[in-house]
């Protein structure tokens, strides 16, 4: 059916080409010069349409034949697989189990590779952040050394932060001790 349709379409395209050629001959005759510009435009338009049809026909034809070849190839592969599966009983079951185990191992390996690549990317990101923080720290230290008032302000902030940490730690410790005393009495 496909071959018949292909030959029919090729014949129709050949007839359309012949009609376009006859139109060109009529336009090129010496007596047809009164509407020559309009006829040339019409002829050019018909040639463009013919070219588009021919291009689409060849593209569709090649796509269909490549699809048919692919289906034939896959069909033969599926037939071979089915014949192999039906050929052996116990060996087939054992082979199937080995193939499943192999697939599980490949999936595990792929997951491990993904986890390792994520870990490596995280390590690189953390290393980059550490470098950025070190550069910020050196800039702050440089500023603190240049301006003694900033240095004393930073020392006061650090002192208050330590004091707040000690107070918070003491409050948490006392609360924990009181909670333990309450639970054991």
């Amino acid at each position: 059916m496909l071959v018949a349709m292909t030959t029919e379409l090729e014949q129709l395209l050949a007839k359309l080409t012949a009609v376009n050629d006859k139109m060109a001959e009529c336009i090129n005759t010496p007596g047809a010069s009164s509407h020559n510009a309009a006829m040339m435009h019409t002829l050019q338009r018909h040639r463009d349409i013919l070219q588009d049809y021919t291009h689409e026909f060849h593209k569709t034809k090649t796509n269909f034949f490549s699809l048919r070849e692919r289906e034939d190839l896959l069909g033969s592969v599926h037939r071979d697989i089915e014949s192999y599966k039906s050929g052996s009983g116990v060996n087939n079951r054992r082979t199937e189990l080995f193939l499943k185990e192999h697939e599980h191992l490949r999936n595990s390996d792929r997951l491990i590779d993904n986890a390792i690549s994520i870990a490596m990317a995280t390590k690189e990101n953390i290393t980059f952040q550490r470098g950025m923080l070190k550069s910020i720290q050196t800039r702050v230290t440089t500023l603190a050394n240049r301006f003694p008032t900033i240095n004393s302000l930073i020392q006061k902030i650090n002192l208050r932060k330590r004091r707040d940490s000690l107070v918070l730690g003491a409050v948490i410790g006392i609360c924990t001790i009181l909670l333990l005393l309450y639970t054991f009495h």
Side-chain angles (χ1 to χ4, degrees):
M1 182 176 152
L2 174 69
V3 175
M5 288 179 69
T6 303
T7 54
E8 182 182 353
L9 284 174
E10 285 174 347
Q11 289 172 354
L12 289 173
L13 286 173
K15 285 180 183 178
L16 189 57
T17 304
V19 168
N20 279 346
D21 291 340
K22 286 181 182 177
M23 282 176 58
E25 288 175 13
C26 288
I27 290 174
N28 291 333
T29 60
S33 62
S34 61
H35 299 285
N36 200 11
M39 294 178 102
M40 287 297 286
H41 177 71
T42 305
L43 176 65
Q44 184 61 38
R45 180 69 185 131
H46 282 271
R47 283 183 180 166
D48 292 341
I49 291 171
L50 174 65
Q51 185 180 8
D52 289 342
Y53 285 163
T54 306
H55 177 72
E56 286 297 319
F57 170 71
H58 288 299
K59 187 169 92 171
T60 306
K61 181 180 169 183
T62 56
N63 284 343
F64 187 79
F65 281 129
S66 65
L67 181 65
R68 195 163 107 190
E69 287 177 8
R70 183 174 181 264
E71 286 178 358
D72 289 343
L73 178 64
L74 290 177
S76 66
V77 168
H78 286 298
R79 284 190 299 274
D80 290 344
I81 289 172
E82 291 300 323
S83 67
Y84 176 74
K85 282 184 177 180
S86 64
S88 58
V90 175
N91 271 345
N92 187 21
R93 178 73 178 144
R94 185 179 296 160
T95 304
E96 190 174 309
L97 291 174
F98 283 139
L99 288 174
K100 282 184 181 179
E101 186 66 26
H102 179 68
E103 187 65 28
H104 289 299
L105 289 174
R106 285 181 53 201
N107 289 338
S108 298
D109 189 40
R110 191 177 314 122
L111 288 174
I112 289 171
D113 286 342
N114 288 340
I116 289 173
S117 65
I118 290 171
M120 294 297 291
T122 305
K123 178 187 171 203
E124 290 173 3
N125 194 3
I126 289 174
T127 304
F128 176 73
Q129 289 178 4
R130 184 179 78 190
M132 291 294 291
L133 289 174
K134 279 186 177 182
S135 67
I136 291 171
Q137 181 183 8
T138 56
R139 288 179 188 166
V140 169
T141 305
T142 304
L143 281 175
N145 290 336
R146 279 190 187 169
F147 304 105
T149 55
I150 294 176
N151 192 14
S152 65
L153 181 64
I154 291 174
Q155 288 177 355
K156 286 180 184 178
I157 291 171
N158 286 336
L159 183 65
R160 283 188 183 172
K161 190 167 44 169
R162 285 186 198 144
R163 185 188 69 197
D164 290 345
S165 296
L166 288 174
V167 169
L168 186 62
V171 168
I172 290 173
I174 289 171
C175 288
T176 305
I177 289 172
L178 289 175
L179 185 65
L180 288 174
L181 286 175
Y182 178 74
T183 57
F184 289 123
H185 283 324

